[in-house]
Amino acid sequence: MAINYWAVAVATLMNLVIGGLWYSPMLFAKVWQRSAGITDEQLKAFNPAKVFTITLIVSWVICINLAFFLASPGTDWQWGMTAGFLAGFGWAAMIFVVISLFEQRSLAYMLVHGGYITAYFTLAGLVIGAWQ
């Protein structure tokens, strides 16, 4: 079983890139802010060093875990992308929906975050699967 740590590193960094785009004004920033109850002032007050550092650590854990699942002979970009989608949508996004339901969050909140989770896992799986 071989893990390509460069693929894991690239997939880890993709979390910041995809998240930056997903939660930008070009896509879902306003919907996310409204549904999460976050103001522009609150966004300006966050600690980027802390948030980005923890994000990278958590993203690495996600990607190394996914790499172990994909580290079998015959894994390619198609299986990587499929496995990433299944893990992202079928496990991660669904448990996020359950938690959101108990927190009485809106459908918009669940769709924005669940969509991001699914997109990220799918693309991380694609990178890890393609770069065996």
Side-chain angles (χ1 to χ4, degrees):
M1 173 167 55
I3 302 294
N4 183 332
Y5 290 96
W6 287 108
V8 170
V10 168
T12 296
L13 291 172
M14 281 178 30
N15 195 349
L16 294 177
V17 174
I18 295 166
L21 178 62
W22 195 269
Y23 294 99
S24 76
M26 288 188 334
L27 291 178
F28 304 109
K30 292 301 172 190
V31 174
W32 164 64
Q33 281 185 259
R34 248 190 333 271
S35 66
I38 296 175
T39 66
D40 289 335
E41 293 74 32
Q42 287 173 306
L43 283 179
K44 291 176 188 169
F46 91 108
N47 179 341
K50 176 183 174 184
V51 171
F52 292 141
T53 299
I54 294 170
T55 296
L56 285 172
I57 292 166
V58 170
S59 299
W60 182 83
V61 170
I62 290 167
C63 290
I64 197 73
N65 183 44
L66 189 55
F68 275 103
F69 276 99
L70 293 174
S72 56
T75 294
D76 60 6
W77 71 269
Q78 294 165 319
W79 171 238
M81 189 170 75
T82 301
F85 172 79
L86 293 171
F89 179 75
W91 289 332
M94 292 301 107
I95 196 62
F96 178 78
V97 168
V98 169
I99 292 165
S100 298
L101 287 168
F102 280 93
E103 292 178 344
Q104 300 181 14
R105 298 293 187 150
S106 70
L107 178 61
Y109 181 87
M110 292 181 229
L111 290 174
V112 168
H113 292 305
Y116 167 72
I117 291 165
T118 303
Y120 175 60
F121 273 71
T122 302
L123 293 173
L126 184 147
V127 167
I128 293 167
W131 202 355
Q132 288 288 324

